[in-house]
Amino acid sequence: MSNELRIDKILDFYDEPQLFIARDKFGAQYICLLYADDHELKYTAIKISNDKLSDFLSGKVDLRQLFVSPELKGEYYDVSYENGHLYITPFEGDALPEDRLPETGYTLDADTQESITVHLPVKDHGLFTELVRKFGWVCM
């Protein structure tokens, strides 16, 4: 059964999203990594908890560790981009081939992330919240 994903936050972008966080219709959270972009965009995904995602976003865990040892052992997914939508299906196999794994040492460092402060009237808060969700910004 195919399931559509929606992107919550793009973490790395070069011509196309390379790495992003997405959710399915049930709210499950996935981290998706591009592995092929020749004829169509293809991603490998794993489910990820908020704690593990926080560890990765703070630079405590590298991306390869996340994919080599997912929280749900051996649970990998294929994500394809078709007609403007992302679809997720279970990966056939127990372990990912080496060519679908990220390089060792890829981390995100919180110090390199951009920080912007915006003051809005209360009446515009709903619109801003929607922009925050779509672009993956943090609102405090």
Side-chain angles (χ1 to χ4, degrees):
M1 172 179 120
S2 287
N3 191 359
E4 191 170 345
L5 293 179
R6 66 174 165 70
I7 296 177
D8 273 354
K9 183 175 184 178
I10 297 175
L11 301 173
D12 197 354
F13 187 92
Y14 183 77
D15 292 334
E16 301 292 344
Q18 305 290 309
L19 181 67
F20 60 87
I21 305 302
R23 291 188 187 273
D24 64 17
K25 64 184 174 186
F26 303 108
Q29 184 171 246
Y30 301 84
I31 187 165
C32 305
L33 175 67
L34 182 71
Y35 74 89
D37 64 354
D38 42 355
H39 298 292
E40 63 181 83
L41 300 177
K42 295 180 182 176
Y43 297 88
T44 299
I46 57 171
K47 284 185 180 177
I48 189 165
S49 68
N50 286 332
D51 290 340
K52 277 287 193 192
L53 181 58
S54 292
D55 287 347
F56 174 66
L57 294 176
S58 66
K60 294 177 185 173
V61 176
D62 99 350
L63 187 61
R64 185 175 179 95
Q65 287 175 290
L66 291 179
F67 277 87
V68 169
S69 302
E71 292 173 280
L72 300 171
K73 187 173 170 107
E75 192 169 315
Y76 296 102
Y77 299 90
D78 290 317
V79 177
S80 58
Y81 182 79
E82 301 168 15
N83 301 320
H85 299 278
L86 290 167
Y87 296 99
I88 188 167
T89 55
F91 173 74
E92 300 294 327
D94 296 330
L96 287 177
E98 184 63 34
D99 63 338
R100 288 179 66 169
L101 290 170
E103 296 289 323
T104 301
Y106 182 96
T107 59
L108 289 181
D109 186 2
D111 294 337
T112 62
Q113 295 180 6
E114 186 175 331
S115 195
I116 298 171
T117 302
V118 178
H119 299 280
L120 291 174
V122 173
K123 67 179 179 134
D124 295 331
H125 184 71
L127 171 64
F128 187 68
T129 302
E130 182 64 17
L131 289 172
V132 166
R133 189 189 68 73
K134 286 190 184 271
F135 291 101
W137 299 334
V138 174
C139 185
M140 294 188 231

